[in-house]
Amino acid sequence: MIAQQRSSSRVTIAKPDFIEGIAKGMAVLESFDTERQRLNATLAAARAGLTRAAARRHLLTLTHLGYLETDGSYFWMSPKVLRFSGSYLASSRLPRALQPTLNRLAAQTHESFSAVVLDGEEVVIVARSGNYGAPTRALAYGLHLGARLPVHATSTGCVLLASMSAANLGAWLKGRLLPRLTPHTLTQTKALRQRIAQVRADDYCIATEEHELGVQAMAVPLRNMHGHTVAALNVVLAGGPRSEAQLQHELLPLLFEAAREVRAML
């Protein structure tokens, strides 16, 4: 049997039902990111775990289908790939359910709010508030809709890790490298475990300049009526770090109340 995992759900299928060509093509497509926006066959092969010849065929096929563009040597994503995200955002219940709450919070506080889900070693922003007077700087680098951020360096990531069972958390952490993004990023597994335990006890997380200097965030879990955490809600702040006491007084009650409000819709 072959286990394929997407987001937080796991689907096991029989080997005859697994189409390797699709899996390899998706691996090539997913090899493009903010660090590597343009790839040749050699780079794509290394990133997707394929031979150069196989990577080249997939790159050419994806270009023929309109998902990539090329200058003959390098390839990059075309706007057509947005069809996937557009379809998700249009059809998924989660973003549609949360958007009014995110907009209300932003209008009320003039801060920026997001809803985030876990996808492997990254978190993905699936809904984001409008500005409503929030400083442009609050919308820090990489915080656009659909952005993928490292789990260990974000408040939402730690909240979502804290929702895992001990066994699942251990499997997630096993052998994982925790890259340093700023001088404040936790890079040791033991320290991250301790932090997750504290987040589990507090039911919220504050991350100060761990993903990007000058940016602070606070997150709480979003649970459904069965008590399962399906996403995280956070507020992103800029303009200098605020004390934990200040955040607890000014913004944490709003986050907790919003989480309670949307629970029946998740």
Side-chain angles (χ1 to χ4, degrees):
M1 306 291 281
I2 298 174
Q4 299 298 313
Q5 184 168 346
R6 174 178 293 178
S7 188
S8 59
S9 62
R10 181 179 293 273
V11 177
T12 302
I13 63 175
K15 187 174 182 179
D17 293 328
F18 182 70
I19 303 175
E20 289 194 20
I22 292 179
K24 291 177 180 178
M26 293 304 298
V28 170
L29 200 57
E30 290 175 359
S31 64
F32 293 87
D33 57 26
T34 54
E35 294 179 1
R36 288 285 189 177
Q37 300 172 13
R38 295 166 65 94
L39 299 173
N40 58 21
T42 301
L43 291 170
R47 297 195 122 211
L50 303 173
T51 65
R52 184 185 182 282
R56 179 178 176 274
R57 290 196 299 271
H58 286 291
L59 288 168
L60 291 173
T61 300
L62 289 166
T63 302
H64 173 73
L65 294 173
Y67 293 106
L68 298 179
E69 296 178 0
T70 184
D71 60 7
S73 298
Y74 282 83
F75 298 80
W76 56 92
M77 285 187 171
S78 79
K80 189 175 180 178
V81 299
L82 293 175
R83 289 188 180 185
F84 297 115
S85 59
S87 296
Y88 169 77
L89 293 172
S91 62
S92 177
R93 188 162 165 252
L94 183 62
R96 288 185 288 115
L98 296 176
Q99 194 64 55
T101 298
L102 298 178
N103 291 342
R104 177 180 59 77
L105 288 170
Q108 181 178 351
T109 64
H110 302 293
E111 304 292 355
S112 178
F113 294 80
S114 301
V116 178
V117 297
L118 182 66
D119 185 18
E121 62 185 25
E122 298 172 311
V123 290
V124 183
I125 299 176
V126 296
R128 185 172 65 79
S129 68
N131 283 1
Y132 294 97
T136 302
R137 182 59 185 156
L139 302 180
Y141 171 76
L143 298 188
H144 55 275
L145 189 63
R148 307 179 70 87
L149 307 171
V151 173
H152 71 288
T154 56
S155 60
T156 50
C158 289
V159 162
L160 293 168
L161 290 180
S163 71
M164 290 183 175
S165 67
N168 287 341
L169 177 60
W172 191 93
L173 289 171
K174 185 176 181 180
R176 189 175 297 278
L177 297 177
L178 306 176
R180 183 178 299 281
L181 304 175
T182 78
H184 307 286
T185 307
L186 291 183
T187 59
Q188 300 298 318
T189 300
K190 182 178 179 181
L192 183 59
R193 279 186 179 275
Q194 292 172 343
R195 182 183 204 185
I196 292 168
Q198 188 62 53
V199 171
R200 190 177 290 119
D202 295 338
D203 213 27
Y204 72 91
C205 178
I206 297 174
T208 301
E209 298 188 316
E210 296 180 37
H211 173 253
E212 182 184 349
L213 292 175
V215 177
Q216 187 177 35
M218 180 167 59
V220 301
L222 291 175
R223 299 186 177 96
N224 60 22
M225 294 300 290
H226 301 289
H228 300 142
T229 298
V230 298
L233 168 67
N234 82 335
V235 56
V236 179
L237 308 163
R242 307 182 196 182
S243 69
E244 183 167 353
Q246 184 179 4
L247 292 175
Q248 287 175 330
H249 174 70
E250 295 179 357
L251 292 170
L252 187 58
L254 295 178
L255 292 177
F256 279 146
E257 179 60 27
R260 286 191 291 271
E261 287 177 1
V262 301
R263 188 168 186 173
M265 297 184 287
L266 302 180

